[in-house]
Structures are given as structure tokens and as C-alpha cells.
Amino acid sequence: MGAVLRCSGLRKAFGDIQAVDDVGFEIAPGETYGLLGPNGAGKTTSISMIAGLLHPDAGEIEVLGTRMTPRALDAKAAVGLVPQDLAIYPDLTARENLHFFGRLQHMSRHDVRARSDEILEVIGLRERSDDRAGEFSGGMKRRLNIGIGLLHQPRLLILDEPTVGVDPQSRNAILESVEALAVEGLAVLYTTHYMEEAERLCRRIAIVDQGRIVAEGTRRELIDTISEQDIVRLKVAGDVHAAAVACDALPSVSSADAEDDEVVCLLDQAASSLPALLAAVSSVDASVVGVEVREPDLEDVFLYLTGRALRD
Amino acid sequence: MLRAAGLILVKDTRLRVRDRSVWLFAFVVPIGMTFLFSSIFPDTGAIELRAGVVDLDGGEVAAGFVEGVVPALADADVLTEVGFDSEEDARARVTEGEVDAAWVLPAGFSEDVLAGGDARIEVLVAAGRTLPGELARGVADAYARRIEQAGLAVTVQGVLTGGPPDPQLIGAIAAAAADTEELVRVTTDLADRGQPLDAVSYLAAGMAAFFVFFAVQFGVTGLLEERQFGTMSRLLAAPIAPGAIHLGKLLGAFLLGVTSMAVLAVASQQLLGADWGPAPGVAILIVAIVLAAIGVMSLVALFAHTAEQASNFQAVVAVVLGLTGGVFVPVPGDIAALRIITAVSPHGWFLRGLNELSASGQWTTVLPAAGAILLFGAVTAVPAVVVQRRRSSW
């Protein structure tokens, strides 16, 4: 089956800042594709172009084979957008919000009514459907925000950081919904800076930094980019930065970075290298008060590829 | 495009109905202000002047004023003439506010005029009687100008011939002094401020024109509100023509503005006995002023980043245009500078159009004023549309 979304060579600059630089990927039906990167990496700019909100300086975007432009109404109709910021009218009820956006999607009154009932059930707002959205909790607003994006049964759902500011219970409900949608065959483009969400939901993940995709693949493929190495986290009392520099100088260490009161080291053969690490920390007037050895995750991959943590 | 614009219009209308501030600006406050002003200034449409003359000159030219102009003004119901025993009596009664004003013709007034000098009439005005005072000054100025023009001819003749004044020219001065018809006409125009509209109608129309600039804000700033709600991205991502969003907003502003003014016209007629004039002409002026308000406010909104900021900017512009247009206090039509200021306000043209409509009873007489108002709308709307399209286009 052909790709639902195909984009290539996307570029967008705002003045001197290159927000998006040569971004391209495809998403197949039923696939959840993740854009993982810190705030300001260019994720929202990328999806703004894909959803037809922003004109790319260069590159191509096709949704179901149709080139995306402001007047490509068929392409737009195939996309459901859930913006990062809440996009609801606080003075309208949940049902009125759904009704308005459904009608904008050229749904008939009857279809909007029927589909609104379904969506309200799915997002757990059936009982509050006639309450104004402004009276909802943050989590309920988020769920309504997502429900509007799903209302017209799009072929491609774009979720831009949908769990930001959401309580753990609502967050879990959102992630479960996205998993269920993918099972139903919906293509999902999911942006996040939460590694766990990307690992849980996305079949393929693009790691984005400073407007560029620095790595792309499945979770396993991405972790394999840092080979068979281990992560050693040393909790340090004393000068953490000096300790990181001392560790980084060891031949067996690929990288060592200071993170709060820890030194995070990527290295081969953690067990045999541990004594040298402890010695290196001691040599700079610091001491190790805790050690954790584990397999790398996407956060470590990002750190390895960019030299910065995802939360930076 | 129309379907989507209609959906946005209906949605915005629903939001506005739930937003009490719209009701305040579009209906409640303008009607309330009209009630208030009409009770405070019940006779702003026709100024009554209680005044008299102190003739310290007793000459031929002064007699023209005392025996010609003043009785003529009294006959025209502009002036209630009072007599003074002396200059001191006049000053005391003016100071006490017993009379509005007094004209003092100084000794040697006639001789000065015949010698080609300044024709100065002193005008005493009671404190707080601004408009009657202005009228009294206007009468004195108009008379003095007329006499000076004739006196100038005497001076020129004297300079050229070196002889005594030509009796014919002196006769001309006397004739000018005695000719009260033109002066009375000017004065009665001054007295009723050139407003065929009665006071209540003028106030109601002025308030409606003033507040419609606030009412249309709610549509004009709609785009900023959509950004504030975060819903602009959803609207732009929807399968609708991008122009539909603007169209929906502007339709909302237009309908709210027209409804507001129509309600005010009917309410002021039913509740206060106002009469704006024949309906077709009123309708043309209402449509024109609403379009101008949308144009002006759209331009102002371009300079704002939030709906609140836009409202603040727009309030300042609405107040300035309203004041210069004379919505609160009629602008004297005999002062050139004020006439020019009024001409750069759509409110001024709106009221002028209603005056002409009221005076003529012909709806076609509003067309020049409506054209001027629409010109305001076009001049402000074009850059607003161009910039807005550039901002929201791909």
C-alpha cells in the first residue's frame, strides 16, 4: 500500500534561523511515526508545513499522492491536526466545538451529530458534552483537542506534543487511544520530546535536532547506532564537570557528560572499565557515591548524536 | 467559500451572544449615553442668547448695529434682547451670569471705521456660557468684518486722492451697517449650528456612529482572537478556502455594526422621539459608516499582537475620530479649521450627511457624504487586506 504521507527536502528559515533543514520521511497506513527532539528542534515547524499552515522554502509534501498547498482541499481533508497548544473555543460546549470543526470538514449535520457522540464516548466526555470547554480540567481540554482532530476520520493524524501538561492518567489514556488508532489503520505523525512516548508508540522514529533529522529508524536500529556500548551513570560528590572531563579522557569511554550531579558515560565493557572511571573521578577532587550500569535508550542515543540531553 | 464563511459567522455570533461586552458596546451604552446627554443638554440643537448692547459711540456705524442687527436677531428668535444702564451694569450682569453676553461699542467706534481703522466691538461673555458666548462673538466678528471692508475702501480713496472721504463711500458703510439680512442668516446658522437635525437625533446618531467603531472591533479582532485561542491553526488546516476565514470575520463585523446602528435608530425614535430622516438615506449612511469602521479598525488591528492590544489601539482611534467628527459636541461650521478637521473624520461626514438628509428630505443628498465615508473605508481597508493576506498566505 502507498504511503499516506511523503515529504522530502523540507526547508524553512525564519530570518537567519534555519528552523527546518532538509527533512524528509514517509508514513505508511497504520504506522505511527515519531519525531523525537527537544523543544525548538523544528518539529512543530515541520508539521505546520505538512498540515498546510506554513509555506516551505523548499521541498515537497504529498498526502495520499496529492501535493499539499493551501488550496489542496482533498489533501487537507485527509489530515487531522492536533496542535500542541489547545485549539478549542472555551465559550463553546464540547459538542459545539466538535460540531463547528466537523462542519468545516464538510460533514453533514447528521454525520457530525453521530460522529460527535462516538468521539465524546472515546475521549470520555460524554457526560460533560454540554458543558463549556472553558470549565474543563487541563486533561479534559487535551482530550477534546484530540477528539476534534479525529472527528472527520482523517487518514493521517498529526499529533504535536499531545501530552504536554497532562496528568499521568490522561496521558496514559491518550497514548492508549493513539495505539488503538494505529491498529485501525490510521497513519499517525507524533511529535514529542518524551523518549518513553516515542519508544512506546512509534514503529519508526526520527531524531530531530536543530532542524535536521540526525538519525531515523526503529528503536532497535537507533540504539544500535551506538553499537554494543553500555551506559554508566556515576553519581558524583564534588566537581561534576571536572569528573566528566576526566572520564572522557579515558580510552575506553566514547563520551562522558555532566548531568546535574551525575556523569553519564558511554563506553565499551562497563565492568572492566569501572575501576578506571572511579580512579578518574577521584583524581579531580571528587568522589563517586553511586553507580548505575544499564543498556542505552533513545535518550542516550540523542545524547550520543548531539552531545545534548533531550530535555535541554 | 460562502458556506465556510457562514459557519464561521454563526460560530462567532454564538460566541458574541455569550459575551456580554458586545451587548454593552453595541446597544446598551450608546442608548444610555444618548439618554444621558439628551437630559444634560436638552437644547444643544438651538442656542438661545440673552444679550444686549452698550453703545458708548452713538455714531452712524454703531447705530447700524444697535438699530439694525440687534432687533433683526431678536426678530429671528436667535436673541432675547436685554437693556443695560451702563457699561458697568452690563459687566456686572454678565459676571453674575444674569445674561449670556453683552456687546460694547466703544466711544469713537464710528470715527475709527470711517478713518479706516479697526472696527472693534468688545464682547463680554458670562462664565460657563460657551456656546451662547461663541454666538455673540460670531455676531460681533461678522458685523466688524463687514464694516471694515467698507471702511477699507474709504481709506484707499483717502490715500489716493488726499482729500476728505467720499460721501458715497461713507454712504456705502452706512448701507452695509444697515444691511442685516445676510448677517442674520449667518447668525441663525451659527445659532442652530447648521444642524437641521434636532438635538436628540443628532446625539443619537452621533452616539451610534461613535460606538459602531467599538462594535465592529469584535469582528475585526476575531483573527487575533483565533490566534489567542489557538484555533487559527485548525481553521487554516481545514479544507476551506483561506479567504473564507477573513470573509466570515468581516461579515460578522458588518452585521453586528449594521444591527447595532439600526437598533439605535429605531430605539432613539421610539424612546426619545428622534428622527434621523428618510429611511433609504439613513440606510445608505449606516452601511457606509459600518464599512468605514471595519476598514479603519482593520488597519489599526494590524499594529497589535493581541486582541486586547488591538482593542486599546482601536479605542483611541475611535475616540479621536468621534471627537473630531463632532459626535459629542457639534463642531461650528463657520470655522474653517474645524471644518477641515471634521472632514477627516467619517463621523463628521456621517452627521453632515444626516443633516443634509434631514434638511432636504431627499435620500440622494446623502450620496456625497456616503462617498466620502466609503473613501475612508477603502483607503484604510486596502492596506489592511494586503498586509493581512501577506501575513496569512503561504
Side-chain angles (χ1 to χ4, degrees):
Chain A
M1 195 179 288
V4 175
L5 171 67
R6 182 176 287 125
C7 56
S8 60
L10 290 183
R11 290 177 191 276
K12 184 71 189 176
F14 299 104
D16 295 334
I17 299 168
Q18 190 67 44
V20 173
D21 189 4
D22 197 24
V23 165
F25 53 86
E26 291 183 10
I27 307 179
E31 180 182 19
T32 301
Y33 187 92
L35 291 178
L36 177 67
N39 293 328
K43 306 186 300 291
T44 298
T45 305
S46 296
I47 64 168
S48 294
M49 290 188 283
I50 290 165
L53 310 181
L54 205 57
H55 177 52
D57 295 339
E60 292 290 325
I61 303 161
E62 281 184 8
V63 176
L64 296 172
T66 303
R67 186 163 177 267
M68 177 58 86
T69 70
R71 295 190 180 278
L73 303 190
D74 288 344
K76 283 188 165 184
V79 176
L81 174 66
V82 180
Q84 181 175 351
D85 295 325
L86 289 172
I88 56 178
Y89 297 103
D91 285 335
L92 295 185
T93 67
R95 188 182 293 280
E96 286 169 343
N97 268 290
L98 289 166
H99 190 271
F100 170 65
F101 286 111
R103 295 284 287 153
L104 277 190
Q105 294 288 344
H106 301 284
M107 296 173 73
S108 69
R109 287 178 196 279
H110 176 267
D111 287 350
V112 168
R113 207 170 297 127
R115 183 72 180 143
S116 294
D117 286 339
E118 288 176 32
I119 290 292
L120 286 165
E121 195 71 53
V122 169
I123 60 179
L125 293 176
R126 186 69 185 256
E127 303 300 317
R128 303 288 305 273
S129 61
D130 293 323
D131 290 347
R132 292 191 190 181
E135 298 166 3
F136 290 172
S137 68
M140 292 161 80
K141 287 176 185 168
R142 282 274 162 203
R143 273 145 48 199
L144 177 59
N145 200 36
I146 293 172
I148 294 168
L150 289 170
L151 184 71
H152 64 290
Q153 296 179 301
R155 299 285 301 280
L156 170 66
L157 180 65
I158 300 175
L159 293 157
D160 189 10
E161 304 262 15
T163 60
V164 169
V166 171
D167 62 89
Q169 194 180 352
S170 294
R171 186 182 182 201
N172 197 47
I174 290 169
L175 297 181
E176 282 177 3
S177 301
V178 176
E179 285 172 326
L181 291 167
V183 170
E184 289 172 14
L186 190 67
V188 180
L189 174 56
Y190 193 96
T191 79
T192 182
H193 65 278
Y194 295 126
M195 172 206 67
E196 319 85 68
E197 290 183 8
E199 286 189 330
R200 174 174 166 180
L201 295 176
C202 304
R203 192 156 76 195
R204 285 187 304 138
I205 299 161
I207 293 179
V208 186
D209 185 49
Q210 296 182 338
R212 297 183 66 87
I213 292 180
V214 293
E216 187 203 40
T218 63
R219 175 183 177 277
R220 187 70 258 164
E221 288 168 346
L222 289 170
I223 290 173
D224 284 350
T225 58
I226 49 178
S227 67
E228 301 295 312
Q229 294 182 309
D230 293 319
I231 298 293
V232 175
R233 299 181 84 89
L234 303 173
K235 195 172 177 64
V236 171
D239 190 340
V240 180
H241 291 280
V245 172
C247 291
D248 205 22
L250 295 173
S252 59
V253 174
S254 299
S255 70
D257 295 283
E259 242 184 59
D260 299 331
D261 62 346
E262 291 184 336
V263 176
V264 182
C265 302
L266 182 66
L267 72 172
D268 298 323
Q269 305 295 323
S272 59
S273 301
L274 210 48
L277 283 176
L278 298 175
V281 172
S282 301
S283 71
V284 293
D285 199 21
S287 59
V288 175
V289 295
V291 178
E292 181 195 353
V293 181
R294 60 172 177 77
E295 189 185 47
D297 57 21
L298 290 177
E299 182 110 28
D300 302 313
V301 174
F302 187 85
L303 185 67
Y304 174 74
L305 292 172
T306 67
R308 291 180 292 109
L310 263 173
R311 64 188 169 188
D312 284 349
Chain B
M1 184 195 268
L2 280 178
R3 179 185 171 279
L7 288 169
I8 291 168
L9 171 64
V10 170
K11 181 266 297 177
D12 282 347
T13 304
R14 182 170 282 159
L15 288 173
R16 296 306 166 214
V17 166
R18 291 172 187 174
D19 180 356
R20 292 189 181 90
S21 57
V22 178
W23 297 101
L24 282 178
F25 278 114
F27 305 108
V28 178
V29 176
I31 291 176
M33 294 281 273
T34 304
F35 268 106
L36 185 68
F37 277 110
S38 62
S39 61
I40 294 173
F41 308 117
D43 59 350
T44 51
I47 302 164
E48 288 181 7
L49 175 62
R50 279 175 53 79
V53 187
V54 179
D55 183 7
L56 302 177
D57 178 59
E60 190 177 1
V61 180
F65 188 81
V66 175
E67 295 166 13
V69 173
V70 172
L73 291 175
D75 289 345
D77 291 332
V78 173
L79 172 70
T80 302
E81 188 181 1
V82 292
F84 299 118
D85 296 336
S86 63
E87 184 180 352
E88 289 69 30
D89 178 44
R91 287 188 187 280
R93 290 168 71 182
V94 167
T95 304
E96 288 168 10
E98 189 185 319
V99 295
D100 298 322
W103 293 285
V104 180
L105 303 174
F109 174 75
S110 297
E111 280 181 21
D112 283 348
V113 171
L114 294 173
D118 290 341
R120 288 185 181 166
I121 300 175
E122 188 180 359
V123 183
L124 309 175
V125 176
R129 302 293 289 154
T130 309
L131 294 177
E134 195 183 303
L135 181 60
R137 284 195 195 93
V139 170
D141 287 347
Y143 185 75
R145 273 200 302 274
R146 179 186 297 274
I147 299 305
E148 274 179 357
Q149 282 166 6
L152 184 63
V154 176
T155 309
V156 171
Q157 183 257 335
V159 169
L160 291 175
T161 64
D166 184 341
Q168 279 189 337
L169 287 174
I170 294 174
I173 294 175
D179 176 17
T180 58
E181 189 180 331
E182 171 66 12
L183 198 143
V184 168
R185 190 188 65 72
V186 170
T187 308
T188 49
D189 279 355
L190 264 176
D192 64 16
R193 323 301 302 164
Q195 316 288 329
L197 275 181
D198 64 81
V200 171
S201 304
Y202 185 94
L203 273 172
M207 287 301 133
F210 179 69
F211 280 101
V212 81
F213 277 67
F214 290 88
V216 301
Q217 277 183 15
F218 293 97
V220 171
T221 58
L223 293 175
L224 291 167
E225 272 184 358
E226 296 286 0
R227 289 206 174 89
Q228 211 163 308
F229 288 144
T231 43
M232 188 54 135
S233 56
R234 266 200 215 286
L235 295 180
L236 290 172
I240 58 173
I245 303 169
H246 292 89
L247 184 60
K249 298 291 175 189
L250 294 179
L251 275 176
F254 179 76
L255 289 179
L256 182 61
V258 168
T259 306
S260 163
M261 293 206 71
V263 166
L264 285 166
V266 173
S268 64
Q269 185 181 13
Q270 297 297 319
L271 302 175
L272 297 167
D275 180 10
W276 292 21
V282 173
I284 290 170
L285 286 171
I286 285 178
V287 168
I289 191 87
V290 170
L291 290 174
I294 292 171
V296 171
M297 291 303 158
S298 298
L299 184 64
V300 175
L302 290 181
F303 297 96
H305 298 294
T306 65
E308 285 74 22
Q309 197 180 30
S311 296
N312 293 337
F313 291 169
Q314 288 168 333
V316 171
V317 172
V319 168
V320 169
L321 288 176
L323 283 173
T324 54
V327 298
F328 297 109
V329 178
V331 177
D334 60 321
I335 301 173
L338 292 178
R339 218 168 35 232
I340 291 167
I341 290 172
T342 311
V344 294
S345 162
H347 302 71
W349 282 103
F350 177 75
L351 292 169
R352 188 182 297 188
L354 281 181
N355 270 321
E356 283 161 7
L357 178 67
S358 188
S360 70
Q362 300 292 318
W363 69 267
T364 49
T365 56
V366 306
L367 294 179
I373 296 168
L374 288 173
L375 190 62
F376 272 97
V379 166
T380 50
V382 168
V385 169
V386 169
V387 174
Q388 198 60 256
R389 279 177 68 92
R390 195 173 298 162
R391 282 182 182 175
S392 60
S393 69
W394 247 42

